[in-house]
Each structure stands twice: as C-alpha cells, then as structure tokens.
C-alpha cells in the first residue's frame, strides 16, 4: 500500500515537472502591435506589502476618510524597457519586489483577439489588468504573453506588474552569478492583435542534411473553415499548399527541386535556394497564410551538423571565429535592449573578424538574433543553468526546461542560431547529469535541426602541462564547449606554451571561454596582471596553444566588452566591472582586441578544406 502511494506521488511529481508545450505567439514584430513602452509609475516594495494591500487594484481613496496608503499617480517613474538598477542610483543594488503601473486606451475591434506580450521581466512577474490577475511568469530572459480579449476594456485600462528579482536557490539562474542581477521590465511590452483564427506558431528550415528539402510546421489557433495553408517564398518562385489537420497543425515538407512551375510558365519555376552563410547571409521573405491570417518572416536556409571533429555549415567544415558577449549596454551600461545597443555590440564582433558569437549566459533580446541573421553571424544561445543549481528540485528543472522551450520557440526561425547551450560551468555531480541530460533530450525533441552544447570547465590536471577533459556530460552533447583560464585562474600565461589537452570525446570542441582582466589604458610589463600587455600576451599564447588541439572547431574568448558584476571589487581596476573585455564599457579597444582580430583575419583567408 505504502509503495503504491509512493509510486502515485512520484508520477505526480514527474508529471508536474513535464513543461507544457510553448504557447507563445511567434513573430510578434510581424503582427499588429501597440507598444506600452515608455514611462511607467513604480513603487519599490522591499517587504512585498503590495500583495496584501492589493496594489494591483490601483485604488484611489473613495473619500477623505478612506485609507489608501499608496498612489501610483504620485510615485516615481521608470522607463520600460529597461532595468531599474542603472536608471535610478538608489536602485543600483536593489533586489526584491517592485511594482509597475501604467494606463492605456484601447479600441476593441470585431473578430479580433488581443494578447498582452512581454519580451522579458527579471525575474518573477505577476501581471494584473484592470485589477484582475492575468497570471505569473518565472524566468528573467524569455518572453511571455496573456490573452486579454475578454479582459481588456474598450476605452481606458490599467496594467499593474509586480517584478521581483530576488535571487533564490531553486531559481534559474540560482543565487550566484558573475553578472549584474538587473531587475525590471527589461524588454518591450506590447499589445498584440490577431484575427479570431490565427497562425500562432510555425517553424521553417531545411530538413537535416538536405539543401533543397524544406521541413517544418504551422500551428493555427481558432476555428477553421478551409483547412488549407499556403507557404510562399516569392524570390524563389515557391508556392506550396497543404492541409491543416484537426488539431490545427499542418506539417510542411517539400523538395524545392521537385516543385512544379506555377501555371507552367518557365519564368515561374522554383529556383534552387541560395544557402545562408556568414559570407552570404541570404534571407528570403517567407509568407505563411491561411484561414484569413497572414504572417511573413525573413528566413535564411542553411544546414548545420557535425562530422567527427568538424562542424559543417551547408555540408562544409567551418571554423567558428567567435567571441563571448553579455547583454550589457555599451557606453551607458545596464541591460541592453535596443537595436542600437545590439548593432554596436554585433558590429564590434564583425570588426573583430568574427563569424560567430556566444550569447552568454542567458537568452539575449530577440533583436540580436534578427540582426545576426542579416549581418552573417552564427550564434550560440544559452539558458542560464549556471554554476551550482538546485539539481534535485523538480521546480528548478521545470523552470530550466521552460526557458529552453521558450528560447527555442522564440528563435527557432532565426537562421543565425546554430547551437543551443544547456548550461555553463556546472559541477560534475550525478544529479546535475540527470538534470542536464533531461534538458538536452528536451531541446533535441523541440528542434532536431540544431546542435546541442554546454560550456564545461571541470578538467583534470593530469600533469603540470596536461589538461584532461572527460566530463560525463560530454556524451550527451554534439559539440563540447570548454572554458579554460590557463594564465589567469590557472597558472601563468607562459604555461600555455607547453600545455597539452586530452579530450575524451571525438567531437568538435569550441573553447567557449579564456581570457584575462585589464582595465583599458592600464599599461605595464607583460607579466604584470591587470595590464593590457598581460592580456595581449595571454591571447597570443592561448591562440597558439589552442591551435594544437586537433578537434578545435572554434572559440569564443571571454569577453567582448567589460560588464557589470557584483563579484568584482578591486578599486580603480574593477569597480564592479569584470574587466576581461577586449573593449572597455566605453568602447575603447584594448591591445588583445587587435591580437584576436589579426588571428581571425588570417583564419578568414584560410580556405576551408
Ligand atoms: C567564468 C564564467 C563567466 C565569468 C568568467 C570570469 O568562467 O563562465 O561567467 O564571468 O569565468 O571569471 O570572468
């Protein structure tokens, strides 16, 4: 009897941990939207008193005797999108609940459904419309939306959001990170209008290993009449129609080379697809229509796979000339969110000679991947399973899987995204392996067209000049990311000169981090820490060392730009900045920038076999 009860309990727990399918509206920028960005009223609420006294009702005193101990209208403001830490100096170190409020006027339209969409809110968000709770969202870097078709008023409305960035052991990330815990409504907030029956989500890419077969699906939401969906790629004269099955889903699979010519005119015969690559980032306008709805998207077609030590793009080996990057705004600091921020950061990566960027350690804003599509930069995208986590906690796994699910849902049509990373520098303990195996399997289930990786750092010192990596997680990855700090946390830069690497897997390796700290303009001997000369020398020796690794398929040194970190204290050197950037937070290029640029320019000239 006790055993039966235990089994039931366990199945409930495991059932509870199974994340729900993504329910996000794909391609929000391609829909009819109304921005709620701008100035919002705010109340800082360290004790979360606002929940009990119902801040979400946004109440005004009924009369002079009525007791209401808050007033959004008279409260300070914050800009949305944006973190609160860099907007108000009194909030720089603030971690906890903070309430946002704003009103908006909305005119309802017939046969229209309306959603309230958030690009991200760090960390836990409770959302209310006109005093009624819409729901909650946990996770600071992925989008979420609520349908408000029946809750929104024709006329005046108000939305209240409690955002709480307090760190918790069972959260993802957990309590310790080497980046600033920027809180707030950090990305766009908008209303999204769609027809009663609409194209909720879709996925379109080349089938694995094919350069002419397109595979994917389209998911409709709402009543349907004709049950037919059309895919058009006008620049390639492609028109493909198929049926929608009863659950609203249409499977898409067709070979461009086998499609007939539209109305048999040779001018309208489908053209072979020009494949996307960093050198030729060709994007096609893809139009999906059916049941009275129509969305269009820019998609490039390419294949990404592994073969032994090699990463193949469109069937050819590619060396990933990369850099790691945080979502820190250049010059002003704080969480980056604007097109300008992203263009500056990716522009610097291009200037370095990169064809690849590792977006560390969490999903960056959605504009980054769209820009990378256009600029010809392959991407590594990661969920913030970072350092230690509450590995045995089903809630923690569920939150981590939901972040993976929503990142894939949001960026699956981004051509630039080549790798999904399931974590960074996690300790080798059994429960961690189970946790990450589950996420890896889930990511493969959601997207079989991309590569799964993780940044590993648990290596053995087999001898003073031998480093061995045999992390069991490597067995579940397509590509091994390795973080190593030879010459900074591990020995001296000259140790690179004789260092040998032993890697237990016959898989491509990306050195996902190496680096050294140096504030811009700090000069001195190459063996003096914190000088640009030390950082530059270390990069020279690292590059030479890494080129000796036979399975090296790429690198993303740490890091593009200095970024805020609560773990960096050295006065007049760090001042709450991690100084391992090749560029300072003011855009000044350090010596190491040019060392890496020179290497990448040489590599770019090397014809790939
Ligand atoms: C780690 C970690 C980074 C961190 C870096 C550093 O490897 O992954 O998040 O910033 O090292 O110490 O500078």
């Amino acid at each position: 009897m006790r055993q039966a009860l235990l089994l039931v309990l366990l199945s409930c727990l495991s059932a509870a941990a199974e994340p729900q399918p993504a329910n996000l509206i794909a391609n929000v920028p391609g829909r009819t939207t109304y921005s709620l960005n701008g100035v919002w009223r705010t109340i800082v609420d360290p004790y979360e008193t606002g929940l009990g006294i119902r801040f979400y009702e946004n109440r005004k005193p009924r009369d002079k005797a009525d007791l209401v101990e808050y007033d959004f209208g008279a409260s300070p403001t914050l800009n949305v999108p944006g973190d609160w830490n860099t907007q108000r100096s009194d909030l720089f170190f603030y971690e906890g609940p903070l309430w946002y409020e704003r009103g908006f006027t909305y005119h309802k339209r017939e046969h229209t459904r309306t959603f309230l969409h958030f690009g991200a809110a760090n960390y836990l968000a409770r959302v209310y419309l006109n005093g009624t709770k819409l729901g909650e969202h946990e996770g600071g870097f992925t989008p979420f939306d609520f349908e408000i078709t029946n809750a929104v008023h024709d006329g005046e409305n108000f939305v209240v959001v409690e955002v709480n960035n307090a760190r918790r052991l069972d959260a993802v990330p957990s309590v310790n990170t080497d980046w600033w815990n920027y809180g707030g409504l950090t990305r766009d907030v908008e209303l999204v209008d769609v027809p009663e029956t609409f194209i909720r989500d879709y996925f379109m890419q080349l089938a694995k290993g094919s350069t002419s077969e397109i595979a994917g699906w389209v998911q409709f939401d709402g009543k349907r009449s004709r049950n037919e969906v059309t895919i058009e790629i006008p620049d390639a004269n492609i028109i493909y129609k198929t049926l929608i099955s009863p659950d609203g889903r249409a499977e898409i699979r067709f070979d461009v080379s086998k499609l007939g010519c539209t109305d048999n005119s040779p001018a309208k015969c489908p053209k072979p697809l020009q494949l996307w690559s960093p050198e030729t980032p060709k994007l096609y306008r893809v139009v999906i229509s059916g049941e009275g709805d129509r969305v269009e998207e820019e998609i490039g077609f390419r294949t990404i796979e592994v073969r032994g030590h090699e990463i193949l793009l469109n069937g050819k080996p590619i060396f990933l000339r990369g850099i790691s990057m945080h979502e820190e705004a250049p010059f002003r600091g704080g969480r980056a969110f604007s097109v300008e921020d992203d263009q500056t950061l990716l522009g610097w990566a291009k200037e370095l000679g990169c064809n690849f960027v590792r977006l560390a350690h969490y999903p960056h804003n959605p504009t980054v991947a769209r820009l990378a599509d256009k600029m010809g930069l392959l991407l590594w995208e990661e969920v913030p399973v970072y350092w230690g986590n509450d590995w045995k906690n089903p809630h923690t796994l569920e939150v981590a899987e939901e972040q993976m699910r929503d990142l894939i849902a949001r960026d699956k049509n981004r051509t630039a995204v080549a790798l999904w990373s399931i974590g960074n520098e996690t300790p080798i303990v059994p429960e961690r392996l189970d946790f990450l195996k589950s996420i890896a399997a889930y990511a493969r289930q959601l997207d079989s067209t991309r590569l799964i990786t993780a940044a590993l750092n648990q290596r053995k010192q087999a001898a003073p000049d031998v480093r061995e990596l045999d992390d069991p997680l490597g067995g579940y990855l397509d590509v091994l990311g390795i973080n190593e700090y030879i010459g900074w946390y591990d020995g001296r830069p000259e140790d690179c000169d004789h260092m040998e690497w032993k890697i237990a897997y016959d898989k491509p390796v990306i050195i996902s981090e190496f680096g050294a700290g140096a504030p811009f303009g700090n000069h001195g001997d190459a063996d003096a820490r914190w000088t640009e000369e030390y950082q530059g020398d270390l990069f020279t020796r690292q590059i030479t060392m890494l080129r000796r690794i036979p399975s090296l398929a790429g690198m993303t040194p740490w890091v593009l730009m200095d970024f805020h970190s609560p773990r960096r204290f050295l006065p007049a050197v760090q001042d709450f900045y991690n100084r391992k950037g090749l560029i300072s937070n003011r855009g000044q290029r350090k010596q190491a920038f040019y060392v890496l640029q020179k290497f990448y320019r040489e590599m770019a000239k090397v014809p790939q076999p």
Side-chain angles (χ1 to χ4, degrees), residues 253-270:
R253 199 167 191 108
F254 61 91
D255 192 316
V256 175
S257 61
K258 299 199 177 78
L259 276 181
C261 304
T262 318
D263 49 18
N264 293 327
S265 73
K268 292 220 175 125
C269 291

Side-chain angles (χ1 to χ4, degrees), residues 12 16 35 106 117 194 203 212 253 342 485:
C12 298
S35 176
Y106 179 75
H117 178 87
V194 291
F203 184 23
S212 67
R253 199 167 191 108
D342 301 335
Y485 280 90

Side-chain angles (χ1 to χ4, degrees), residues 500-529:
E500 191 200 336
W501 283 86
K502 289 206 172 115
I503 298 161
Y505 301 96
D506 179 25
K507 295 185 178 186
V509 165
I510 294 175
I511 298 295
S512 35
E513 290 184 33
F514 70 85
F520 173 78
N522 189 32
H523 293 288
D525 299 338
D527 61 355
R529 278 183 187 267

